[in-house]
Amino acid sequence: MTQALPKLLAFNEFIEWYPNDGKRYELHKGVIVEIFAPTGEHEKVIAFLSRKLTVEFDRLNLPYGIPKTALVKTPSAESAYSPDVLLLNLDNLDNEPLFKKQSTVSQAASVPIVIEVVSTNWRDDYYNKLRDYEEMGIPEYWIADYAALGARKFIGNPKQPTIFVCELVDGEYQMTAFQGNTAISSPIFPQLNLTAQQIFNAAN
């Protein structure tokens, strides 16, 4: 007797299904994944990073904004992610076919920076989302592993809290690790005055 495989959803089916129940969901390769409530430390890191980026793009008078809830639809994996920090280029949203009704972006030109703050499902951030954001062509992706949850091959042995800035170069992400009081180098915001330790301290 063969067991029927669960039906994988297309993005439009996911959006039609999405309930108004106060919970957040993502679509991972056609599979619905509930995003569980983050810890207070996780939320404080998100708030700190959002504030730092907002101050910088406001100082530069750039047409950017950080939405409360929005989805990033990846090109080929039938995935839709709700990033921890999503920096939108507001000037490109008129070109986004899904944004007005579904608060969803699918073009790299709409996303200067995307940030994931690592939690217990760290493999999503280091593997799946990195691959999909790279394929989408998002120019800059941060992995904020403030609690040192990732694999030792990424953050060292013993594990150390680490911020990765992944810069898109010739279609591939080049990952640069920042730890301790090292100043973070952001290609999008080259004058950003921020160290890895300041981000880690935000969780306390």
Side-chain angles (χ1 to χ4, degrees), residues 11-178:
F11 173 77
N12 61 335
E13 294 174 309
F14 169 66
I15 288 295
E16 289 173 9
W17 165 87
Y18 206 107
N20 186 18
D21 60 3
K23 298 178 182 178
R24 293 171 59 211
Y25 300 91
E26 293 184 333
L27 187 67
H28 292 204
K29 295 184 180 178
V31 177
I32 295 168
V33 176
E34 181 180 350
I35 304 174
F36 293 102
T39 65
E41 293 177 347
H42 189 275
E43 289 285 73
K44 286 197 287 184
V45 171
I46 291 172
F48 178 78
L49 287 168
S50 298
R51 178 168 64 92
K52 285 295 184 181
L53 292 185
T54 299
V55 167
E56 190 65 6
F57 70 69
D58 190 55
R59 182 183 72 83
L60 296 169
N61 198 29
L62 294 169
Y64 294 167
I66 297 176
K68 181 181 178 183
T69 55
L71 292 171
V72 175
K73 180 182 180 296
T74 62
S76 64
E78 283 301 345
S79 296
Y81 300 129
S82 178
D84 289 314
V85 181
L86 174 61
L87 186 63
L88 291 181
N89 177 3
L90 305 180
D91 280 356
N92 194 61
L93 296 184
D94 286 344
N95 301 319
E96 287 282 1
L98 302 171
F99 190 79
K100 189 171 183 179
K101 291 186 177 180
Q102 298 166 341
S103 188
T104 299
V105 294
S106 58
Q107 300 173 8
S110 299
V111 187
I113 293 179
V114 63
I115 299 176
E116 298 289 357
V117 179
V118 177
S119 53
T120 51
N121 58 340
W122 60 268
R123 288 177 178 83
D124 285 341
D125 301 325
Y126 278 97
Y127 293 107
N128 301 336
K129 293 182 180 182
L130 183 143
R131 179 192 61 236
D132 290 343
Y133 292 150
E134 179 183 71
E135 181 190 13
M136 186 175 169
I138 293 174
E140 191 168 324
Y141 170 39
W142 292 24
I143 301 172
D145 197 349
Y146 74 95
L149 297 173
R152 290 176 178 83
K153 66 180 178 180
F154 293 115
I155 61 175
N157 187 14
K159 294 184 177 184
Q160 298 290 323
T162 307
I163 307 295
F164 286 96
V165 173
C166 308
E167 179 186 6
L168 196 70
V169 178
D170 296 329
E172 297 181 2
Y173 277 143
Q174 305 298 315
M175 297 178 69
T176 304
F178 299 93

